[in-house]
Amino acid sequence: MLLERFYDEDLAQASYVIGCQATGEAIVVDPRRDVEAYLDFATSRGLRIAHVTETHIHADYLSGTRELAARTGARMHVSDEGGPDWTYGERFDDADRMLDGDTIAVGNITLRALHTPGHTPEHLSFLVTDGAQADEPGFMLTGDFVFVGDVGRPDLLDEAAGGVDTRFEGAKQLFASLRDRFLTLPDYVQVLPAHGAGSACGKALGAIPTTTVGYERAFAWWAPHLAADDEQGFVDELLSGQPDAHAYFARMKSQNRSGPALLGELAPLPERSIESVRELLVADATILVDTRDQHAVHAGTVEGALNIPGADKAASYGAWVYDPEAESRPLVLLADDEGEAGRMRDHLVRVGIDAVEGYVCSLDRLPLVQPRLLPPEELDGLADAQLVDVRGRSEHDAGHIPGSRHLSGGRALWHLDELPRGGTVVTYCQSGVRNSVVASALRRAGVDVVELDGSYAGWLRSSAGEPVTAT
């Protein structure tokens, strides 16, 4: 058996290719939407991608299940658990609809589906048996059920899918899934989760790629609750301190359930001339994406540009500042070359931002403006301004500037009604990176934004004031 993990640092997301070297067949589990990496890997190892599946309807990225099936002819397998509200749409009519106990045969390898609800009602995990060496499973693909040191959060249906208090039932389902499914397995079973540290799908994910049933049984935060059969204690601890759910999660849920649009093989992005881009900007027919860091942006950027600093976090930050359900104007990227532009586009399509139509290599001969900055020492003297902390909730609770309110960066563009339309908004994050990203989107939306220079760290260095912590 061959097993390869593909990890996206941007979204802290893991997918897996499992191949039977005896027959040359392979399956991809939880693929992202830009599928070239899987195709290239299969070709390099002499494998044919015959199957593709996913553990659940994802909230944080668009699935590549349909894309891979269209490109390779692979058979799709999706969950049919969870009830009618969580049934995949008609674009999956030719997929195998899997129930608890169903299996997928990949040469000598067998994947057996286990219904493990809690994070989502339809969630499946897969027990993997390498028939060439064993007659019992040695691996478990847990999706967003069990992570290294944590479990999947059960509140995203409330936060991102319009649910009302579904988190409590989800937390109880997670407790039962751990007790009745996970902890009944031998300690040696290796656990292969779908996310790592930095993901918003849990609150305490470890950075180690894999774990085992035995290790989690002994050391996970939830283990004492399960050992004591303390369901309420588990629910209380699980639901406290969960990170903010980004607003774009609702769009991911909806599109993944119905089936993301197919991309096909993407052509290289064309380089656009400065003259043509200038004309489009004057006509308000395109949006420029300034991919430089906040310091370069503060020195001068195109008016109305979105700041998405580089490809490495383009999916995460892009989904904060561009909503394809509300915005139809195409994007032009600032990039050093075609390769860098292509990498950034790959990240953006992972969150359904498909409207990239070209790139430019510089901002020369484009009119530039300087975003407004406020030195921290002048903050106290600013009248009629609202101070907004765009960091995560836990960061705000740990310490924030007196008088500031919290509105996380991943939600700001969708909650403009919480910001004053007639006054100035002063925004800050920890060091200024996220602040520049969010401020660029708010300016495009018509908000009068001033960025606190140096953000929270700069205020701490320059101020004699004491931060406020959550009680």
Side-chain angles (χ1 to χ4, degrees):
M1 184 178 83
L2 180 151
L3 192 154
E4 187 77 9
R5 175 178 181 260
F6 291 77
Y7 195 70
D8 174 18
E9 297 282 356
D10 189 345
L11 296 167
Q13 181 262 335
S15 50
Y16 298 88
V17 174
I18 301 174
C20 176
Q21 293 161 303
T23 65
E25 294 176 278
I27 183 170
V28 184
V29 182
D30 285 333
R32 63 183 189 240
R33 195 167 172 233
D34 54 314
V35 299
E36 295 299 333
Y38 313 114
L39 300 176
D40 292 345
F41 177 79
T43 299
S44 71
R45 298 303 180 95
L47 296 171
R48 177 178 67 88
I49 297 175
H51 304 272
V52 58
T53 189
E54 55 192 54
T55 52
H56 65 292
I57 300 171
H58 297 282
D60 53 323
Y61 70 99
L62 282 189
S63 163
T65 294
R66 291 188 70 238
E67 194 71 33
L68 261 183
R71 296 282 294 274
T72 66
R75 184 71 177 167
M76 294 189 292
H77 309 265
V78 297
S79 175
D80 204 26
E81 296 281 4
D85 289 341
W86 299 100
T87 300
Y88 282 80
E90 61 184 20
R91 288 179 174 176
F92 293 93
D93 281 351
D94 56 348
D96 286 338
R97 308 274 180 147
M98 301 194 72
L99 297 172
D100 183 70
D102 287 350
T103 60
I104 305 170
V106 185
N108 296 319
I109 302 163
T110 302
L111 283 75
R112 179 162 62 92
L114 292 183
H115 184 212
T116 50
H119 175 65
T120 60
E122 81 290 351
H123 195 287
L124 298 178
S125 298
F126 292 99
L127 285 173
V128 182
T129 301
D130 180 4
Q133 292 189 328
D135 55 8
E136 295 292 337
F139 306 87
M140 188 180 192
L141 296 160
T142 53
D144 289 19
F145 167 37
V146 174
F147 301 126
V148 178
D150 203 2
V151 291
R153 59 190 296 182
D155 61 320
L156 284 184
L157 303 187
D158 289 349
E159 297 289 336
V164 178
D165 290 340
T166 64
R167 66 190 68 201
F168 303 107
E169 178 61 25
K172 293 178 180 179
Q173 289 177 338
L174 268 174
F175 186 87
S177 293
L178 289 167
R179 180 191 62 209
D180 301 335
R181 293 307 180 96
F182 188 77
L183 292 178
T184 61
L185 298 171
D187 283 350
Y188 61 75
V189 172
Q190 294 188 46
V191 174
L192 309 174
H195 289 289
S199 169
C201 292
K203 63 178 178 178
L205 282 70
I208 299 172
T210 65
T211 184
T212 65
V213 171
Y215 191 89
E216 298 305 305
R217 188 196 309 272
F219 300 114
W221 68 260
W222 50 261
H225 295 296
L226 269 294
D229 197 27
D230 178 15
E231 181 186 70
Q232 191 58 53
F234 171 85
V235 170
D236 293 342
E237 186 167 355
L238 174 62
L239 294 180
S240 67
Q242 288 290 354
D244 301 291
H246 304 311
Y248 83 92
F249 281 7
R251 178 168 56 87
M252 298 294 96
K253 274 286 186 186
S254 175
Q255 292 182 9
N256 279 327
R257 183 186 176 198
S258 62
L262 296 177
L263 295 169
E265 188 171 359
L266 296 174
L269 283 172
E271 182 178 359
R272 300 302 187 190
S273 70
I274 291 295
E275 290 73 19
S276 66
V277 171
R278 184 192 300 115
E279 292 176 1
L280 291 170
L281 290 170
V282 169
D284 197 21
T286 195
I287 300 171
L288 187 126
V289 177
D290 193 331
T291 58
R292 301 171 299 163
D293 66 26
Q294 76 272 25
H295 304 295
V297 169
H298 292 161
T301 188
V302 171
E303 186 172 7
L306 295 174
N307 182 207
I308 305 175
D312 289 346
K313 295 292 289 182
S316 300
Y317 292 148
W320 290 12
V321 300
Y322 186 90
D323 180 6
E325 293 184 333
E327 178 61 75
S328 60
R329 281 166 288 193
L331 302 174
V332 173
L333 310 176
L334 175 62
D336 289 338
D337 51 38
E338 178 189 302
E340 183 182 11
R343 286 191 296 275
M344 188 158 188
R345 176 178 63 180
D346 286 345
H347 283 245
L348 291 172
V349 299
R350 293 172 195 174
V351 290
I353 299 175
D354 301 346
V356 180
E357 66 91 34
Y359 71 97
V360 292
C361 291
S362 78
L363 302 182
D364 291 345
R365 303 191 308 280
L366 291 176
L368 304 182
V369 296
Q370 289 183 298
R372 294 166 59 199
L373 303 178
L374 179 71
E377 56 271 17
E378 296 181 15
L379 184 59
D380 291 341
L382 192 67
D384 300 323
Q386 180 172 316
L387 187 59
V388 177
D389 183 350
V390 301
R391 298 176 299 166
R393 183 185 300 131
S394 62
E395 293 173 285
H396 180 78
D397 290 347
H400 56 268
I401 300 174
S404 64
R405 59 157 301 161
H406 176 247
L407 181 58
S408 65
R411 302 175 68 86
L413 191 61
W414 285 261
H415 291 273
L416 297 176
D417 58 318
E418 299 181 22
L419 300 173
R421 302 297 286 185
T424 299
V425 176
V426 179
T427 57
Y428 70 92
C429 66
Q430 185 65 28
S431 64
V433 177
R434 289 171 289 175
N435 194 27
S436 180
V437 172
V438 177
S440 71
L442 295 181
R443 287 191 192 96
R444 277 203 64 85
V447 180
D448 181 20
V449 177
V450 178
E451 297 172 54
L452 185 63
D453 197 10
S455 278
Y456 185 64
W459 178 81
L460 288 175
R461 288 191 300 267
S462 66
S463 174
E466 290 293 326
V468 177
T469 57
T471 57

